[in-house]
């Protein structure tokens, strides 16, 4: 299996067929940004996400934490979705936000909460009674 194939397999497992097809096509194209997509597939997903030492759940926790700190709501949402696909629960993701709070502050957490609310809504997870009460905060 090539690095490209291994990377696309990781993307498919974490983000679904549509993301894998889109990223694969972008990496293989001769369009603007193709080298960046190829790097993401070949190095980030094939080399880093498959390394021994941390499982995908743990890598998702780290990635979400970085996106919170960098105030990157779009990327946080992508990694939250991947984290859910990697077996994280909403409660664990909420704990990431709580853990990050004293280090990054309320504005960064508020930004991530808005992104999290969208993921929760898109996935139909907002029916969970434990989280239904938080809708007004998000």
């Amino acid at each position: 299996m090539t690095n490209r194939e291994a990377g696309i397999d990781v993307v498919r497992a974490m983000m679904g067929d549509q993301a894998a097809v889109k990223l694969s096509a972008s990496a293989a194209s001769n369009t603007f940004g193709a080298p960046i997509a190829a790097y993401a597939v070949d190095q980030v997903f094939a080399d880093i996400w498959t390394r021994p030492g941390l499982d995908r759940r743990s890598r998702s926790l780290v990635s979400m934490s970085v996106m919170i700190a960098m105030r990157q709501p779009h990327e946080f949402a992508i990694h939250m979705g991947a984290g859910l696909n990697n077996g994280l629960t909403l409660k664990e993701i909420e704990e990431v936000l709580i853990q990050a709070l004293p280090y990054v502050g309320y504005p960064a957490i508020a930004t991530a909460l808005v992104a999290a609310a969208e993921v929760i809504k898109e996935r139909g997870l907002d029916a969970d009674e434990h989280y239904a009460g938080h809708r007004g905060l998000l």
Side-chain angles (χ1 to χ4, degrees):
M1 178 178 289
T2 67
N3 249 23
R4 180 71 44 92
E5 293 166 337
I8 292 301
D9 283 351
V10 172
V11 171
R12 183 172 285 109
M14 292 188 345
M15 299 176 203
D17 288 333
Q18 185 178 6
V21 169
K22 183 177 177 181
L23 192 54
S24 180
S26 180
S29 73
N30 288 321
T31 60
F32 182 82
I36 297 166
Y39 180 84
V41 173
D42 299 344
Q43 270 73 53
V44 176
F45 293 107
D47 290 343
I48 294 173
W49 277 88
T50 61
R51 287 179 54 81
L54 290 176
D55 60 14
R56 286 189 189 165
R57 293 176 86 256
S58 298
R59 290 184 191 282
S60 287
L61 292 169
V62 170
S63 298
M64 285 186 300
S65 297
V66 170
M67 295 310 138
I68 293 166
M70 293 178 63
R71 293 191 190 182
Q72 295 295 316
H74 176 73
E75 290 294 322
F76 175 82
I78 290 170
H79 284 284
M80 180 178 167
L84 290 166
N85 291 343
N86 287 336
L88 293 176
T89 65
L90 285 179
K91 187 65 178 160
E92 289 170 319
I93 294 168
E94 184 178 56
E95 287 298 323
V96 169
L97 292 162
I98 293 167
Q99 179 67 30
L101 179 60
Y103 300 100
V104 300
Y106 283 100
I109 298 304
T111 299
L113 280 171
V114 171
E118 286 300 314
V119 173
I120 291 166
K121 181 180 176 184
E122 287 171 6
R123 290 187 174 228
L125 301 174
D126 54 350
D128 186 342
E129 282 187 56
H130 176 74
Y131 292 95
H134 296 320
R135 284 188 210 151
L137 298 174
L138 304 174

